[in-house]
Amino acid sequence: MKSVSARGCARYFAAGLLVAAAVVDVVLYAGSDSQTASVLPGLDPFWQTLAVVLVGLTCVLWPARRRPEWFTPQVRTAVPALASVLLTAASLLVPGEVVLGPGEMMILLCLLFIAVRHCPSRWAVVCGVLDAGALLTLPVRGDVTLSSDLTGLEMIGLLLVGLVAGLAGYLRSMDYRRTVAVSETRRGERLAIAADLHDFVAHHVTGILVQTQMARMMATTQPQELDPVLAGIERAATEALASMRRTVGVLRDTGSATADRRPVGDLAGIAELVEGFAMPGQKAVLSRDRTVADDLPHEVQAAAFRVVQEALTNVRRHAADATHIEVRLRDDTGRLEVSVADDGRGGTQLPAAAHGGGFGLVGLKERVTALGGELHAGPRGGAGWEVRAVFPARRS
């Protein structure tokens, strides 16, 4: 059996209370004396009250999943209020009193709440005023002399209107803030995913470009050694497609049990990155201290992976003549230090469009500093370039 939550119990209780109050209205008319007035000649007062109450209950309690498209919050809140206002106006034209009950009052308060919270901005004011006006004019049905008792009822009505409208307005503002927060979060996630996709594709495509240039040079001088270069191009293209597929997969939950669930970009991925980086004439090595733990926070591991990836991409762009690239991971007194150093002299000849605008290091610095770390990039003593990042490495 499906259990009912506390919120569900509260809704059922409120709906039952509203129906009970509406029944009281109908019973009051059914048990009233002969002096009770009817606004329509020949129609028993019982039926006019039953009609107004049923319209109000329908608009308040109709399940959201079963509402037709035309049954908007504007319609739900305006129609019962108009019916109540017309009944009040008609009661002024007939002799005798029109009996009042708590049901119609509670229904109008509920409709006021719905109007202020759920109606579009312009309609919220119109429907809210209409519901409040219908509620405040209800006492006129039983007393058209505007006596002191009626004034007291109007003051109570104003207080109830203010409380209900204020609560609905507060919840509406909270809904708006929540919507804005969700929208900003989604926008930030999209930007982060776009940045990740750019990093992955730029890394692999740069490798394809450099190896293609090498293949063209070797085609005339060393054709027998082309196969390893072409294999590297094929591997880089395959990895680029896989990176795009994994990144786009973040946006789509396919529910596939065979999908690769390992987070994209971690310490294990750094080893694969270094292993597949070197080209003929180059040597890329990974030096990892045994004290570097595997259970570092994922955001730290992902940032470390991005540092290595961007640094290796820059080696291909600006120092493809480097013969030795060393990637180091070490524990620096409780902090993770990641460094990438090469011995290149800037002999790369890539098209101008492939050099980029330097936004990679800017993005890396933002990512690293957001985690409380530090990023340094600059020339080494003698020859080459080094990128070094230090992260606070609290374990997850």
Side-chain angles (χ1 to χ4, degrees):
M1 178 181 290
K2 186 177 180 180
S3 60
V4 181
S5 63
R7 179 177 295 182
C9 291
R11 288 179 177 177
Y12 288 134
F13 176 78
L17 184 62
L18 191 62
V19 172
V23 171
V24 171
D25 281 19
V26 176
V27 170
L28 284 176
Y29 270 95
S32 60
D33 55 28
S34 57
Q35 295 181 353
T36 302
S38 175
V39 299
L40 295 176
L43 181 65
D44 192 281
F46 168 82
W47 296 108
Q48 70 185 21
T49 302
L50 182 63
V52 173
V53 167
L54 286 179
V55 171
L57 287 177
T58 300
C59 292
V60 174
L61 301 179
W62 193 314
R65 296 179 180 178
R66 299 182 179 180
R67 293 173 194 156
E69 294 184 0
W70 58 266
F71 201 45
T72 60
Q74 302 92 290
V75 174
R76 293 173 58 202
T77 55
V79 171
L82 287 174
S84 178
V85 170
L86 291 176
L87 181 59
T88 300
S91 67
L92 301 177
L93 305 177
V94 297
E97 295 182 354
V98 176
V99 178
L100 298 176
E104 191 174 352
M105 299 178 186
M106 293 179 63
I107 290 173
L108 289 173
L109 285 173
C110 292
L111 294 174
L112 174 62
F113 181 89
I114 295 173
V116 175
R117 184 174 183 185
H118 297 295
C119 284
S121 300
R122 296 180 180 179
W123 282 101
V125 177
V126 176
C127 295
V129 170
L130 187 59
D131 291 321
L135 176 67
L136 295 176
T137 56
L138 279 180
V140 177
R141 297 181 188 175
D143 186 359
V144 298
T145 61
L146 299 180
S147 63
S148 59
D149 293 338
L150 180 62
T151 304
L153 290 175
E154 293 294 346
M155 294 300 298
I156 295 175
L158 283 173
L159 178 62
L160 291 175
V161 167
L163 290 175
V164 172
L167 175 61
Y170 171 75
L171 294 178
R172 185 187 182 104
S173 67
M174 294 298 292
D175 292 341
Y176 175 76
R177 293 179 183 178
R178 188 180 302 111
T179 301
V180 171
V182 170
S183 177
E184 290 297 324
T185 301
R186 288 178 177 174
R187 180 176 179 273
E189 290 176 349
R190 290 192 183 101
L191 291 175
I193 291 173
D196 291 344
L197 183 60
H198 172 270
D199 291 343
F200 281 121
V201 174
H203 175 78
H204 296 304
V205 172
T206 302
I208 292 173
L209 179 59
V210 173
Q211 293 180 87
T212 302
Q213 289 183 330
M214 182 178 296
R216 292 182 64 185
M217 290 187 296
M218 296 174 64
T220 56
T221 59
Q222 299 172 306
Q224 68 279 5
E225 298 183 10
L226 274 178
D227 187 67
V229 178
L230 296 177
I233 294 174
E234 180 183 9
R235 183 175 62 252
T238 302
E239 291 175 353
L241 290 174
S243 297
M244 292 179 63
R245 185 164 52 250
R246 286 195 301 264
T247 306
V248 175
V250 175
L251 302 176
R252 299 178 59 190
D253 184 12
T254 59
S256 174
T258 60
D260 185 6
R261 296 298 183 184
R262 194 188 74 186
V264 178
D266 53 11
L267 296 185
I270 292 177
E272 299 175 6
L273 200 62
V274 175
E275 182 180 355
F277 176 77
M279 295 184 297
Q282 285 184 335
K283 182 180 180 181
V285 296
L286 172 64
S287 175
R288 175 175 173 175
D289 292 351
R290 295 181 179 180
T291 54
V292 176
D294 292 324
D295 60 347
L296 298 176
H298 171 61
E299 59 271 15
V300 173
Q301 297 192 47
F305 181 90
R306 294 299 187 275
V307 169
V308 175
Q309 184 182 57
E310 182 65 24
L312 293 179
T313 302
N314 286 337
V315 170
R316 281 179 173 163
R317 284 176 174 169
H318 308 293
D321 60 335
T323 59
H324 183 80
I325 300 98
E326 182 180 9
V327 179
R328 295 193 60 186
L329 302 176
R330 72 185 189 93
D331 188 346
D332 181 16
T333 62
R335 300 187 302 171
L336 175 65
E337 181 180 298
V338 182
S339 64
V340 180
D342 66 83
D343 59 356
R345 297 180 179 275
T348 306
Q349 298 296 327
L350 291 180
H355 282 278
F359 296 108
L361 288 178
V362 174
L364 277 185
K365 188 173 184 65
E366 293 176 351
R367 183 189 290 267
V368 173
T369 55
L371 296 175
E374 300 175 356
L375 178 71
H376 303 280
R380 301 171 62 193
W385 190 272
E386 181 181 25
V387 176
R388 182 168 57 89
V390 181
F391 301 93
R394 293 183 294 272
R395 297 187 180 184
S396 58

